[in-house]
Amino acid sequence: MVSRRFRNVFQTALALLLICPAAAWAQAPVNLALSATAVSSSDWNADFAAAKAFDGDMNTRWNAADQDRDGSWLGCTWATAQTFNKVVIRQAFDRITLFHLQVMDAATGDWKDAATSPDPVNPTGAANPVFSFVFKPALSTKGVRIFIDTTKNTSISIFEMEAYSVPMGTLTGTVKDESGKGIAGAAVAAGTFTGTTKDDGTYSMDVDAGTYTVTASQASSYRSRTQRNVAVTANQSTTLNFTLSALAPNLAKDATIVSSTDYSGDYDAAKANDGNLATRWNSAGGDTDGAFLELDWTKAVTFNKVTVREFDDRIREYALQTWNSSKSDWADIYHATVPATSGDQLFTKVFPQPVTADKLRLLVVKATNLPSIYEFQVSSVQTGTLEGKVTDYATSKGLSGASIVLEGVGTVATSGADGSFSAIVEPDQYAASASMDGYLTSPSTILDVTAGKSTSYAASLAAVGENLAKKATASDSYDNGTNVADLVIDGDMTTSWQTDAADPANTKNQWVALTWPSDTAFRMVSLRGFIGVIQKCQLETQDSAGNWKMIPDTLFNAEFTGSSKVFLFAAPITTKAVRFFIQYTNSDTNVPGLSEFEVYNPPIITVTPPPTVVLGDVNGDGKLGITDVVLALRIVAGIVTATPANTAAGDIDKSGAITITDVVKMLRAVAGIAPLG
């Protein structure tokens, strides 16, 4: 006999199912801007024309002419009115300070304002900001454009401008500090969407229906927090709250800062402890190895954390030093080598014991270019321990010299002779990985580090093997007679292949290739040391008829990948020849080149995945059905006690338990009314 409570719960769930409006099934969004005609105030040249921002290719971009800055604009028009509820603008570089989004008036053909830029315009400090606008009700117009009111005194560049009509949901919540008080002005980011909290810490933003990684941050005062796999359902509101921990005071702001040299008044030492990530110190020409920044306090301070935020990827070795007054000399308290990567770098050192000093110096031991630092920060923080071991995938032996990297923090430890390591870090949730020259970087692992406790982390790295490029013959489309093709396989990063600067034609459709005597299999290509500002480029292989064909998913823009680019393919590629093909650079006078062209065939690592939890599969038979709904109802009614496996599958809204809300969602999914999650 069915209990009265079970019957009441089932009737409630069925009633909610029937009265809720049916949700539209999500469809692949169509970018309406791809069918439009591009228009702009000006173009840099044909390679950076307005149409490049409406081609669906993130490796191309529009750029306004050099002197077309404040008042420049980019847009598109259609022959007939289009209806859309979302516009996305993907900016190259962080150059816009104020803009308006405008649509074309159907009656007059004039442009009228539809939205204005967020305030602040780039709340997350992204290097290439993305602006997403949602319109309720949807817009119907024959044209849309971005009008740039003010810039950072340079011409604007945009990768893509997009328009969509898509199902939307709402992400809402509150960002609080540890005392429970709302934080005003915190940035909340979900995909391309960003919002800013109000004075009471609340936020609300419309986003595409889907699953997101959501981050709340306020870089100047609080540590950011991230929540993953956040589901947003069309026409519904999802609540997501954050509690942020306050950053420890930056003691460097109280110090007098001096440097070995300054590049200019705009890049002097004071820019490295002003708390502003938009400014930076840069040493003067010739001041590379041995350059330094020095913090001097009027009295000794105690700290256990030092953070260095570096511009570009220039420092290869550095030391942190304190002043030894008894010897009238500097003494190392930390020394580190830095592997070459790309882009801005972050160096973080948390000491196991507090350091007390009245002077602290960052000494650049080795650098590939003039060192440049956004901020040199010092603080005293809570700590936890991260420890573990890095091993070789093939032999299971420990690897010495592997770097342990935490996303948002940088390298925190280097493995010892037996592969083991230990690092003192701030308590937080981290994405951890391990890397080492000659090995593939390990996949990221999410770790929670707790104050005063130890967290274990183990990584297994696969060796990339021999550089197969050494067995190939190098050739090129053109070179200047000195920087010849053979230099990309000489193992020397100080030499390079380059085309000829004397001929402007040599900036486009240039290539350097590797050819083997017989078919060769490889799974990894490393392009190191790009020369010139290379824009659109790709990897190609040669078929048996001698035709070159692009390797899928290798089209990229080298300007935005840093000094190097690595491709790792899921399966080996077999060919007699591979080449790096450059479509064009940023100008007709900027010739391209490459220092090293490396090819490897590392093993495929097989990892046994954890058991897959099928959402809604409460009874564990591998699928969602009415029997799962009935079991979930019995759990809600108290007839059956939920097991951890039941809860993992049936807790759809991640509340910690199976509730009537979860049952309704499951029932609607079984009935075909709405997708689950």
Side-chain angles (χ1 to χ4, degrees), residues 46-104:
D47 292 327
F48 296 86
K52 301 294 185 181
F54 300 93
D55 61 0
D57 186 351
M58 280 293 292
N59 299 298
T60 64
R61 55 189 170 92
W62 164 76
N63 205 107
D66 186 29
Q67 298 304 315
D68 186 15
R69 300 176 182 181
D70 295 357
S72 59
W73 54 269
L74 170 73
C76 66
T77 61
W78 295 274
T80 58
Q82 303 291 310
T83 300
F84 50 87
N85 63 352
K86 185 178 78 165
V87 172
V88 180
I89 300 167
R90 303 179 187 274
Q91 185 188 179
F93 314 109
D94 179 20
R95 297 175 172 177
I96 300 175
T97 54
L98 180 67
F99 69 89
H100 286 78
L101 196 66
Q102 299 180 318
V103 295
M104 184 177 288

Short mmCIF file of all heavy atoms in Angstrom, two decimals, residues 46-104:
data_model
loop_
_atom_site.label_atom_id
_atom_site.label_comp_id
_atom_site.label_asym_id
_atom_site.label_seq_id
_atom_site.Cartn_x
_atom_site.Cartn_y
_atom_site.Cartn_z
N ALA A 46 44.02 46.17 -45.48
CA ALA A 46 43.11 45.13 -45.96
C ALA A 46 43.13 43.89 -45.07
O ALA A 46 42.11 43.18 -44.96
CB ALA A 46 43.48 44.76 -47.39
N ASP A 47 44.26 43.62 -44.42
CA ASP A 47 44.34 42.45 -43.55
C ASP A 47 43.61 42.67 -42.22
O ASP A 47 43.36 41.70 -41.49
CB ASP A 47 45.81 42.12 -43.25
CG ASP A 47 46.53 41.61 -44.49
OD1 ASP A 47 45.89 40.94 -45.32
OD2 ASP A 47 47.74 41.90 -44.62
N PHE A 48 43.30 43.90 -41.92
CA PHE A 48 42.60 44.25 -40.67
C PHE A 48 41.33 45.05 -40.97
O PHE A 48 40.98 45.97 -40.25
CB PHE A 48 43.53 45.04 -39.74
CG PHE A 48 44.73 44.24 -39.28
CD1 PHE A 48 45.88 44.18 -40.04
CD2 PHE A 48 44.68 43.53 -38.10
CE1 PHE A 48 46.98 43.44 -39.64
CE2 PHE A 48 45.77 42.78 -37.67
CZ PHE A 48 46.93 42.73 -38.45
N ALA A 49 40.65 44.68 -42.06
CA ALA A 49 39.43 45.37 -42.48
C ALA A 49 38.26 44.99 -41.58
O ALA A 49 38.30 43.98 -40.86
CB ALA A 49 39.12 45.03 -43.93
N ALA A 50 37.18 45.77 -41.67
CA ALA A 50 36.00 45.55 -40.84
C ALA A 50 35.45 44.14 -40.99
O ALA A 50 34.97 43.53 -40.01
CB ALA A 50 34.93 46.58 -41.18
N ALA A 51 35.49 43.59 -42.19
CA ALA A 51 34.94 42.25 -42.43
C ALA A 51 35.61 41.18 -41.58
O ALA A 51 35.02 40.12 -41.32
CB ALA A 51 35.06 41.90 -43.91
N LYS A 52 36.85 41.44 -41.12
CA LYS A 52 37.55 40.45 -40.30
C LYS A 52 36.88 40.26 -38.94
O LYS A 52 37.12 39.25 -38.28
CB LYS A 52 39.01 40.89 -40.09
CG LYS A 52 39.82 41.06 -41.37
CD LYS A 52 40.02 39.76 -42.10
CE LYS A 52 40.93 39.95 -43.31
NZ LYS A 52 41.13 38.71 -44.07
N ALA A 53 36.08 41.23 -38.51
CA ALA A 53 35.38 41.12 -37.23
C ALA A 53 34.03 40.44 -37.37
O ALA A 53 33.31 40.29 -36.38
CB ALA A 53 35.21 42.50 -36.60
N PHE A 54 33.69 40.01 -38.59
CA PHE A 54 32.41 39.35 -38.83
C PHE A 54 32.60 38.08 -39.66
O PHE A 54 31.72 37.67 -40.40
CB PHE A 54 31.46 40.32 -39.55
CG PHE A 54 31.17 41.56 -38.76
CD1 PHE A 54 31.94 42.71 -38.95
CD2 PHE A 54 30.17 41.60 -37.81
CE1 PHE A 54 31.70 43.86 -38.21
CE2 PHE A 54 29.92 42.74 -37.06
CZ PHE A 54 30.69 43.88 -37.26
N ASP A 55 33.77 37.44 -39.50
CA ASP A 55 34.06 36.23 -40.27
C ASP A 55 34.04 34.96 -39.43
O ASP A 55 34.32 33.87 -39.92
CB ASP A 55 35.42 36.35 -40.99
CG ASP A 55 36.59 36.55 -40.02
OD1 ASP A 55 36.36 36.58 -38.79
OD2 ASP A 55 37.73 36.67 -40.50
N GLY A 56 33.74 35.10 -38.13
CA GLY A 56 33.68 33.94 -37.25
C GLY A 56 35.03 33.36 -36.92
O GLY A 56 35.12 32.25 -36.38
N ASP A 57 36.10 34.08 -37.19
CA ASP A 57 37.46 33.59 -37.00
C ASP A 57 38.16 34.44 -35.94
O ASP A 57 38.44 35.61 -36.17
CB ASP A 57 38.21 33.66 -38.34
CG ASP A 57 39.61 33.03 -38.27
OD1 ASP A 57 40.06 32.69 -37.15
OD2 ASP A 57 40.23 32.90 -39.33
N MET A 58 38.48 33.83 -34.81
CA MET A 58 39.14 34.56 -33.72
C MET A 58 40.63 34.79 -33.98
O MET A 58 41.31 35.41 -33.17
CB MET A 58 38.96 33.80 -32.41
CG MET A 58 37.61 34.02 -31.76
SD MET A 58 37.38 35.73 -31.17
CE MET A 58 38.57 35.78 -29.83
N ASN A 59 41.12 34.30 -35.11
CA ASN A 59 42.52 34.54 -35.46
C ASN A 59 42.69 35.77 -36.35
O ASN A 59 43.80 36.14 -36.70
CB ASN A 59 43.09 33.31 -36.17
CG ASN A 59 43.04 32.09 -35.29
OD1 ASN A 59 43.66 32.05 -34.24
ND2 ASN A 59 42.28 31.08 -35.71
N THR A 60 41.58 36.40 -36.73
CA THR A 60 41.63 37.64 -37.50
C THR A 60 40.96 38.73 -36.68
O THR A 60 40.23 38.46 -35.73
CB THR A 60 40.90 37.48 -38.85
OG1 THR A 60 39.50 37.22 -38.60
CG2 THR A 60 41.47 36.34 -39.66
N ARG A 61 41.20 39.99 -37.08
CA ARG A 61 40.59 41.08 -36.33
C ARG A 61 40.55 42.36 -37.16
O ARG A 61 41.34 42.54 -38.09
CB ARG A 61 41.33 41.34 -35.02
CG ARG A 61 42.82 41.62 -35.16
CD ARG A 61 43.50 41.65 -33.79
NE ARG A 61 44.95 41.66 -33.89
CZ ARG A 61 45.71 42.75 -33.92
NH1 ARG A 61 45.12 43.95 -33.85
NH2 ARG A 61 47.01 42.69 -34.00
N TRP A 62 39.61 43.21 -36.79
CA TRP A 62 39.56 44.57 -37.35
C TRP A 62 40.42 45.48 -36.50
O TRP A 62 40.50 45.32 -35.28
CB TRP A 62 38.12 45.09 -37.34
CG TRP A 62 38.03 46.58 -37.54
CD1 TRP A 62 38.18 47.27 -38.70
CD2 TRP A 62 37.75 47.58 -36.53
NE1 TRP A 62 38.01 48.62 -38.50
CE2 TRP A 62 37.76 48.84 -37.17
CE3 TRP A 62 37.52 47.53 -35.16
CZ2 TRP A 62 37.51 50.04 -36.49
CZ3 TRP A 62 37.29 48.71 -34.47
CH2 TRP A 62 37.28 49.94 -35.13
N ASN A 63 41.07 46.44 -37.15
CA ASN A 63 41.81 47.47 -36.44
C ASN A 63 41.55 48.80 -37.14
O ASN A 63 41.68 48.90 -38.37
CB ASN A 63 43.31 47.19 -36.42
CG ASN A 63 44.02 47.83 -35.25
OD1 ASN A 63 44.42 47.15 -34.31
ND2 ASN A 63 44.20 49.15 -35.27
N ALA A 64 41.18 49.80 -36.36
CA ALA A 64 40.98 51.14 -36.93
C ALA A 64 42.32 51.71 -37.38
O ALA A 64 43.38 51.28 -36.93
CB ALA A 64 40.34 52.06 -35.90
N ALA A 65 42.27 52.69 -38.28
CA ALA A 65 43.49 53.36 -38.74
C ALA A 65 44.20 54.03 -37.57
O ALA A 65 43.59 54.32 -36.53
CB ALA A 65 43.16 54.38 -39.82
N ASP A 66 45.47 54.28 -37.72
CA ASP A 66 46.33 54.71 -36.62
C ASP A 66 45.77 55.92 -35.86
O ASP A 66 45.76 55.93 -34.63
CB ASP A 66 47.72 55.03 -37.16
CG ASP A 66 48.70 55.36 -36.04
OD1 ASP A 66 48.51 54.83 -34.93
OD2 ASP A 66 49.63 56.12 -36.27
N GLN A 67 45.30 56.95 -36.56
CA GLN A 67 44.84 58.16 -35.88
C GLN A 67 43.34 58.17 -35.61
O GLN A 67 42.80 59.14 -35.08
CB GLN A 67 45.23 59.38 -36.71
CG GLN A 67 46.73 59.56 -36.89
CD GLN A 67 47.46 59.62 -35.55
OE1 GLN A 67 47.03 60.32 -34.62
NE2 GLN A 67 48.57 58.90 -35.45
N ASP A 68 42.64 57.10 -35.97
CA ASP A 68 41.19 57.00 -35.74
C ASP A 68 40.99 56.36 -34.37
O ASP A 68 40.93 55.13 -34.26
CB ASP A 68 40.55 56.17 -36.85
CG ASP A 68 39.02 56.16 -36.74
OD1 ASP A 68 38.47 57.00 -36.00
OD2 ASP A 68 38.40 55.30 -37.40
N ARG A 69 40.85 57.17 -33.34
CA ARG A 69 40.80 56.67 -31.96
C ARG A 69 39.46 57.02 -31.31
O ARG A 69 38.47 56.34 -31.53
CB ARG A 69 42.00 57.22 -31.19
CG ARG A 69 43.32 56.76 -31.84
CD ARG A 69 44.56 57.35 -31.19
NE ARG A 69 45.77 56.93 -31.89
CZ ARG A 69 46.99 57.26 -31.55
NH1 ARG A 69 47.19 58.05 -30.49
NH2 ARG A 69 48.03 56.82 -32.24
N ASP A 70 39.40 58.10 -30.52
CA ASP A 70 38.13 58.53 -29.95
C ASP A 70 37.17 58.87 -31.10
O ASP A 70 37.52 59.66 -31.99
CB ASP A 70 38.31 59.76 -29.07
CG ASP A 70 39.17 59.46 -27.84
OD1 ASP A 70 39.56 58.29 -27.67
OD2 ASP A 70 39.45 60.40 -27.08
N GLY A 71 35.99 58.25 -31.07
CA GLY A 71 35.02 58.48 -32.13
C GLY A 71 35.05 57.43 -33.22
O GLY A 71 34.22 57.47 -34.14
N SER A 72 35.95 56.47 -33.14
CA SER A 72 35.97 55.39 -34.13
C SER A 72 34.79 54.45 -33.88
O SER A 72 34.21 54.44 -32.78
CB SER A 72 37.29 54.62 -34.06
OG SER A 72 37.48 54.07 -32.76
N TRP A 73 34.43 53.67 -34.89
CA TRP A 73 33.30 52.76 -34.73
C TRP A 73 33.40 51.58 -35.67
O TRP A 73 34.08 51.62 -36.68
CB TRP A 73 31.97 53.48 -34.91
CG TRP A 73 31.81 54.24 -36.21
CD1 TRP A 73 32.12 55.55 -36.44
CD2 TRP A 73 31.32 53.73 -37.46
NE1 TRP A 73 31.87 55.89 -37.74
CE2 TRP A 73 31.36 54.80 -38.39
CE3 TRP A 73 30.85 52.49 -37.88
CZ2 TRP A 73 30.95 54.64 -39.71
CZ3 TRP A 73 30.43 52.33 -39.19
CH2 TRP A 73 30.47 53.41 -40.09
N LEU A 74 32.69 50.50 -35.27
CA LEU A 74 32.64 49.27 -36.05
C LEU A 74 31.23 48.71 -35.96
O LEU A 74 30.64 48.67 -34.87
CB LEU A 74 33.63 48.24 -35.50
CG LEU A 74 33.52 46.82 -36.07
CD1 LEU A 74 34.04 46.77 -37.50
CD2 LEU A 74 34.28 45.82 -35.18
N GLY A 75 30.69 48.28 -37.09
CA GLY A 75 29.34 47.74 -37.06
C GLY A 75 29.02 46.87 -38.26
O GLY A 75 29.90 46.57 -39.08
N CYS A 76 27.76 46.46 -38.34
CA CYS A 76 27.29 45.66 -39.48
C CYS A 76 25.84 46.01 -39.76
O CYS A 76 25.11 46.49 -38.89
CB CYS A 76 27.45 44.17 -39.20
SG CYS A 76 26.39 43.54 -37.87
N THR A 77 25.44 45.78 -41.01
CA THR A 77 24.07 46.07 -41.43
C THR A 77 23.51 44.87 -42.19
O THR A 77 24.25 44.09 -42.79
CB THR A 77 24.00 47.31 -42.33
OG1 THR A 77 24.79 47.08 -43.51
CG2 THR A 77 24.52 48.55 -41.60
N TRP A 78 22.19 44.73 -42.13
CA TRP A 78 21.48 43.68 -42.85
C TRP A 78 20.50 44.29 -43.85
O TRP A 78 20.03 45.42 -43.64
CB TRP A 78 20.69 42.79 -41.89
CG TRP A 78 21.51 41.99 -40.93
CD1 TRP A 78 22.07 40.77 -41.13
CD2 TRP A 78 21.86 42.36 -39.58
NE1 TRP A 78 22.74 40.34 -40.00
CE2 TRP A 78 22.63 41.29 -39.03
CE3 TRP A 78 21.60 43.47 -38.77
CZ2 TRP A 78 23.12 41.32 -37.74
CZ3 TRP A 78 22.10 43.49 -37.48
CH2 TRP A 78 22.86 42.43 -36.98
N ALA A 79 20.16 43.55 -44.89
CA ALA A 79 19.18 44.03 -45.87
C ALA A 79 17.79 44.06 -45.28
O ALA A 79 16.97 44.92 -45.62
CB ALA A 79 19.21 43.13 -47.10
N THR A 80 17.49 43.13 -44.38
CA THR A 80 16.20 43.10 -43.68
C THR A 80 16.45 43.09 -42.19
O THR A 80 17.51 42.64 -41.71
CB THR A 80 15.38 41.87 -44.08
OG1 THR A 80 16.14 40.68 -43.78
CG2 THR A 80 15.06 41.88 -45.57
N ALA A 81 15.47 43.55 -41.43
CA ALA A 81 15.62 43.63 -39.98
C ALA A 81 15.84 42.26 -39.36
O ALA A 81 15.22 41.27 -39.75
CB ALA A 81 14.39 44.29 -39.36
N GLN A 82 16.76 42.21 -38.39
CA GLN A 82 17.06 40.99 -37.65
C GLN A 82 16.66 41.18 -36.19
O GLN A 82 16.76 42.28 -35.64
CB GLN A 82 18.55 40.67 -37.72
CG GLN A 82 19.09 40.53 -39.13
CD GLN A 82 18.57 39.31 -39.84
OE1 GLN A 82 18.61 38.20 -39.30
NE2 GLN A 82 18.06 39.49 -41.06
N THR A 83 16.22 40.09 -35.55
CA THR A 83 15.82 40.15 -34.14
C THR A 83 16.82 39.35 -33.32
O THR A 83 17.11 38.18 -33.63
CB THR A 83 14.41 39.57 -33.95
OG1 THR A 83 13.48 40.34 -34.73
CG2 THR A 83 14.00 39.63 -32.48
N PHE A 84 17.38 39.98 -32.29
CA PHE A 84 18.36 39.30 -31.44
C PHE A 84 18.28 39.86 -30.03
O PHE A 84 17.81 40.98 -29.80
CB PHE A 84 19.78 39.46 -32.00
CG PHE A 84 20.17 40.87 -32.35
CD1 PHE A 84 20.71 41.72 -31.40
CD2 PHE A 84 19.98 41.35 -33.64
CE1 PHE A 84 21.07 43.02 -31.72
CE2 PHE A 84 20.34 42.65 -33.97
CZ PHE A 84 20.88 43.49 -33.01
N ASN A 85 18.72 39.04 -29.07
CA ASN A 85 18.68 39.46 -27.66
C ASN A 85 20.05 39.48 -27.01
O ASN A 85 20.17 39.72 -25.81
CB ASN A 85 17.74 38.57 -26.86
CG ASN A 85 18.18 37.10 -26.81
OD1 ASN A 85 19.11 36.71 -27.51
ND2 ASN A 85 17.50 36.30 -26.02
N LYS A 86 21.11 39.20 -27.79
CA LYS A 86 22.46 39.22 -27.22
C LYS A 86 23.46 39.71 -28.26
O LYS A 86 23.42 39.30 -29.41
CB LYS A 86 22.88 37.83 -26.73
CG LYS A 86 24.24 37.84 -26.01
CD LYS A 86 24.63 36.47 -25.49
CE LYS A 86 25.16 35.57 -26.56
NZ LYS A 86 25.86 34.38 -26.02
N VAL A 87 24.35 40.60 -27.81
CA VAL A 87 25.46 41.08 -28.64
C VAL A 87 26.75 40.84 -27.86
O VAL A 87 26.83 41.16 -26.67
CB VAL A 87 25.32 42.58 -28.99
CG1 VAL A 87 26.58 43.09 -29.67
CG2 VAL A 87 24.11 42.80 -29.88
N VAL A 88 27.74 40.26 -28.54
CA VAL A 88 29.05 39.99 -27.92
C VAL A 88 30.12 40.73 -28.71
O VAL A 88 30.15 40.65 -29.95
CB VAL A 88 29.36 38.48 -27.90
CG1 VAL A 88 30.72 38.24 -27.26
CG2 VAL A 88 28.27 37.72 -27.16
N ILE A 89 30.98 41.44 -28.01
CA ILE A 89 32.10 42.15 -28.63
C ILE A 89 33.39 41.63 -27.99
O ILE A 89 33.58 41.73 -26.78
CB ILE A 89 31.98 43.67 -28.43
CG1 ILE A 89 30.69 44.18 -29.07
CG2 ILE A 89 33.19 44.39 -29.02
CD1 ILE A 89 30.33 45.58 -28.67
N ARG A 90 34.27 41.07 -28.82
CA ARG A 90 35.51 40.47 -28.34
C ARG A 90 36.67 41.39 -28.73
O ARG A 90 37.10 41.40 -29.87
CB ARG A 90 35.68 39.07 -28.93
CG ARG A 90 34.50 38.15 -28.62
CD ARG A 90 34.68 36.76 -29.23
NE ARG A 90 33.49 35.95 -29.08
CZ ARG A 90 33.22 35.21 -28.01
NH1 ARG A 90 34.08 35.18 -27.01
NH2 ARG A 90 32.11 34.50 -27.94
N GLN A 91 37.15 42.14 -27.75
CA GLN A 91 38.18 43.14 -28.01
C GLN A 91 39.57 42.53 -27.99
O GLN A 91 39.89 41.67 -27.16
CB GLN A 91 38.11 44.26 -26.96
CG GLN A 91 39.08 45.40 -27.23
CD GLN A 91 39.16 46.42 -26.10
OE1 GLN A 91 39.91 47.38 -26.18
NE2 GLN A 91 38.42 46.22 -25.05
N ALA A 92 40.42 42.96 -28.90
CA ALA A 92 41.84 42.62 -28.85
C ALA A 92 42.56 43.72 -28.09
O ALA A 92 42.41 44.90 -28.42
CB ALA A 92 42.41 42.50 -30.27
N PHE A 93 43.29 43.35 -27.07
CA PHE A 93 43.97 44.29 -26.18
C PHE A 93 42.92 45.00 -25.29
O PHE A 93 41.72 44.86 -25.50
CB PHE A 93 44.81 45.31 -26.94
CG PHE A 93 45.66 44.72 -28.02
CD1 PHE A 93 45.37 44.92 -29.36
CD2 PHE A 93 46.76 43.92 -27.70
CE1 PHE A 93 46.15 44.36 -30.36
CE2 PHE A 93 47.54 43.36 -28.69
CZ PHE A 93 47.24 43.58 -30.02
N ASP A 94 43.40 45.72 -24.33
CA ASP A 94 42.52 46.44 -23.39
C ASP A 94 42.70 47.93 -23.66
O ASP A 94 43.41 48.62 -22.95
CB ASP A 94 42.91 46.07 -21.95
CG ASP A 94 42.06 46.80 -20.92
OD1 ASP A 94 40.97 47.26 -21.28
OD2 ASP A 94 42.50 46.89 -19.77
N ARG A 95 42.00 48.43 -24.70
CA ARG A 95 42.24 49.80 -25.14
C ARG A 95 41.03 50.71 -24.98
O ARG A 95 41.18 51.92 -24.96
CB ARG A 95 42.67 49.78 -26.61
CG ARG A 95 43.98 49.06 -26.86
CD ARG A 95 44.30 48.95 -28.34
NE ARG A 95 45.64 48.44 -28.59
CZ ARG A 95 46.14 48.20 -29.79
NH1 ARG A 95 45.40 48.44 -30.87
NH2 ARG A 95 47.36 47.73 -29.93
N ILE A 96 39.84 50.16 -24.88
CA ILE A 96 38.63 50.97 -24.81
C ILE A 96 38.37 51.38 -23.37
O ILE A 96 38.41 50.56 -22.46
CB ILE A 96 37.41 50.20 -25.36
CG1 ILE A 96 37.63 49.81 -26.82
CG2 ILE A 96 36.15 51.04 -25.23
CD1 ILE A 96 36.53 48.93 -27.39
N THR A 97 38.08 52.66 -23.16
CA THR A 97 37.74 53.14 -21.81
C THR A 97 36.28 53.53 -21.68
O THR A 97 35.74 53.58 -20.58
CB THR A 97 38.63 54.34 -21.43
OG1 THR A 97 38.53 55.34 -22.45
CG2 THR A 97 40.09 53.91 -21.30
N LEU A 98 35.60 53.84 -22.80
CA LEU A 98 34.17 54.17 -22.76
C LEU A 98 33.60 53.96 -24.16
O LEU A 98 34.22 54.36 -25.16
CB LEU A 98 33.95 55.62 -22.33
CG LEU A 98 32.49 56.09 -22.25
CD1 LEU A 98 31.74 55.36 -21.13
CD2 LEU A 98 32.41 57.61 -22.02
N PHE A 99 32.43 53.31 -24.24
CA PHE A 99 31.80 53.11 -25.54
C PHE A 99 30.29 53.01 -25.41
O PHE A 99 29.75 52.86 -24.31
CB PHE A 99 32.35 51.85 -26.24
CG PHE A 99 31.95 50.55 -25.60
CD1 PHE A 99 30.78 49.89 -25.98
CD2 PHE A 99 32.74 49.95 -24.62
CE1 PHE A 99 30.41 48.69 -25.40
CE2 PHE A 99 32.38 48.75 -24.04
CZ PHE A 99 31.21 48.11 -24.43
N HIS A 100 29.61 53.09 -26.54
CA HIS A 100 28.16 52.88 -26.62
C HIS A 100 27.87 51.82 -27.66
O HIS A 100 28.57 51.73 -28.68
CB HIS A 100 27.44 54.18 -27.00
CG HIS A 100 27.37 55.19 -25.90
ND1 HIS A 100 28.46 55.99 -25.57
CD2 HIS A 100 26.37 55.54 -25.06
CE1 HIS A 100 28.11 56.78 -24.56
NE2 HIS A 100 26.85 56.53 -24.23
N LEU A 101 26.84 51.03 -27.40
CA LEU A 101 26.34 50.11 -28.41
C LEU A 101 25.12 50.78 -29.04
O LEU A 101 24.23 51.25 -28.33
CB LEU A 101 25.94 48.78 -27.76
CG LEU A 101 25.77 47.60 -28.71
CD1 LEU A 101 27.10 47.23 -29.33
CD2 LEU A 101 25.19 46.41 -27.97
N GLN A 102 25.10 50.83 -30.36
CA GLN A 102 24.04 51.53 -31.07
C GLN A 102 23.36 50.62 -32.09
O GLN A 102 23.97 49.69 -32.61
CB GLN A 102 24.60 52.76 -31.79
CG GLN A 102 25.24 53.78 -30.85
CD GLN A 102 25.80 54.97 -31.61
OE1 GLN A 102 26.41 54.82 -32.66
NE2 GLN A 102 25.57 56.17 -31.07
N VAL A 103 22.07 50.89 -32.36
CA VAL A 103 21.32 50.16 -33.39
C VAL A 103 20.77 51.16 -34.39
O VAL A 103 20.62 52.36 -34.10
CB VAL A 103 20.17 49.32 -32.78
CG1 VAL A 103 20.72 48.23 -31.89
CG2 VAL A 103 19.20 50.21 -32.01
N MET A 104 20.47 50.66 -35.58
CA MET A 104 19.99 51.53 -36.65
C MET A 104 18.48 51.74 -36.54
O MET A 104 17.72 50.78 -36.39
CB MET A 104 20.33 50.92 -38.01
CG MET A 104 19.96 51.80 -39.20
SD MET A 104 20.48 51.08 -40.77
CE MET A 104 22.26 51.31 -40.66
#
